[in-house]
Amino acid sequence: QKEVEQNSGPLSVPEGAIASLNCTYSDRGSQSFFWYRQYSGKSPELIMFIYSNGDKEDGRFTAQLNKASQYVSLLIRDSQPSDSATYLCAVPVYNQGGKLIFGQGTELSVKP
Amino acid sequence: SQTIHQWPATLVQPVGSPLSLECTVEGTSNPNLYWYRQAAGRGLQLLFYSVGIGQISSEVPQNLSASRPQDRQFILSSKKLLLSDSGFYLCAWSPRGRTGGSPLHFGNGTRLTVT
């Protein structure tokens, strides 16, 4: 069974700091990785995806992928209280209808 | 643009009653469709996925079933609900034709409480 692991948190950072969220995966063949944000009581929302080794930046968000070490991380710069949510890492299972395996999620709390 | 509709938003049902949750997608054809469940404070568990009309794959044995009577319609059902069926049910879609590497797009979810 393919696995995706995340620290459940909560991770607490002060406003304006960098929040670092990590995810490890078991399948060395995984080629793409997705980060979702889920506010309490709401459905997950895609915020980043990354396919290649290295960094991908989108505004305040940076996704980092290291396939050799089988981890993917999400950095949030200049964290805001509105970033307080649970962040889910997801990895696709190939040739099975495109389904995604999700980590348990990391709860982030940004304190003003 | 593509949109996904899921209803109802909340539902309270007694143990032993039937269940029917519906999901429809607009603005795309031949989507892959998914039902996930999220128990309180837990991660997302894939229940069913479908790559075409009438094609349903079940991920875990349970008290639920799924059907896809039309290309962009996905239904989650139960004949008799259990207390353990309570949770947040999420329908999602992804583009067909890619065996991996496409993100899923979620509906707003149905919060089911079985009493």
Side-chain angles (χ1 to χ4, degrees):
Chain A
Q1 172 72 355
K2 298 176 175 59
E3 295 183 351
V4 179
E5 300 286 340
Q6 294 181 256
N7 292 328
S8 60
L11 172 66
S12 182
V13 301
E15 184 175 357
I18 296 175
S20 178
L21 306 160
N22 299 313
C23 172
T24 60
Y25 57 94
S26 62
D27 184 6
R28 284 193 169 275
S30 296
Q31 297 294 317
S32 50
F33 306 87
F34 305 100
W35 282 100
Y36 286 81
R37 177 178 61 200
Q38 186 177 24
Y39 291 113
S40 180
K42 302 296 185 181
S43 61
E45 169 193 16
L46 179 71
I47 54 171
M48 286 286 287
F49 60 89
I50 187 166
Y51 298 133
S52 303
N53 260 343
D55 296 359
K56 179 182 178 182
E57 188 174 316
D58 183 1
R60 296 187 296 112
F61 297 98
T62 299
Q64 298 176 319
L65 174 59
N66 185 320
K67 289 186 177 180
S69 300
Q70 294 179 246
Y71 82 77
V72 56
S73 61
L74 179 69
L75 302 179
I76 306 175
R77 291 182 302 281
D78 188 25
S79 295
Q80 301 297 309
S82 58
D83 295 326
S84 298
T86 297
Y87 290 80
L88 300 163
C89 174
V91 179
V93 178
Y94 287 85
N95 297 318
Q96 291 191 36
K99 67 183 184 182
L100 297 185
I101 302 298
F102 285 83
Q104 291 293 97
T106 298
E107 183 184 351
L108 172 66
S109 176
V110 181
K111 304 297 185 183
Chain B
S1 64
Q2 302 88 2
T3 56
I4 178 168
H5 303 280
Q6 189 180 343
W7 65 94
T10 59
L11 191 59
V12 179
Q13 293 282 98
V15 169
S17 64
L19 173 73
S20 181
L21 302 180
E22 189 166 341
C23 169
T24 59
V25 180
E26 295 180 358
T28 187
S29 296
N30 305 316
N32 293 328
L33 296 173
Y34 311 84
W35 280 110
Y36 282 83
R37 177 171 61 196
Q38 188 174 36
R42 305 289 295 276
L44 293 170
Q45 179 187 33
L46 179 63
L47 302 176
F48 302 95
Y49 69 92
S50 171
V51 298
I53 296 174
Q55 300 180 60
I56 308 295
S57 295
S58 175
E59 288 294 295
V60 294
Q62 59 207 316
N63 186 41
L64 302 169
S65 62
S67 62
R68 184 170 177 173
Q70 300 180 46
D71 180 46
R72 292 172 291 173
Q73 183 185 28
F74 206 21
I75 297 171
L76 183 69
S77 303
S78 174
K79 292 182 179 178
K80 290 186 178 181
L81 284 168
L82 306 173
L83 286 175
S84 57
D85 291 324
S86 293
F88 191 38
Y89 288 82
L90 291 156
C91 182
W93 77 273
S94 71
R96 178 83 68 78
R98 299 188 60 173
T99 56
S102 293
L104 270 57
H105 304 278
F106 288 89
N108 289 333
T110 295
R111 189 161 304 282
L112 172 66
T113 303
V114 182
T115 60

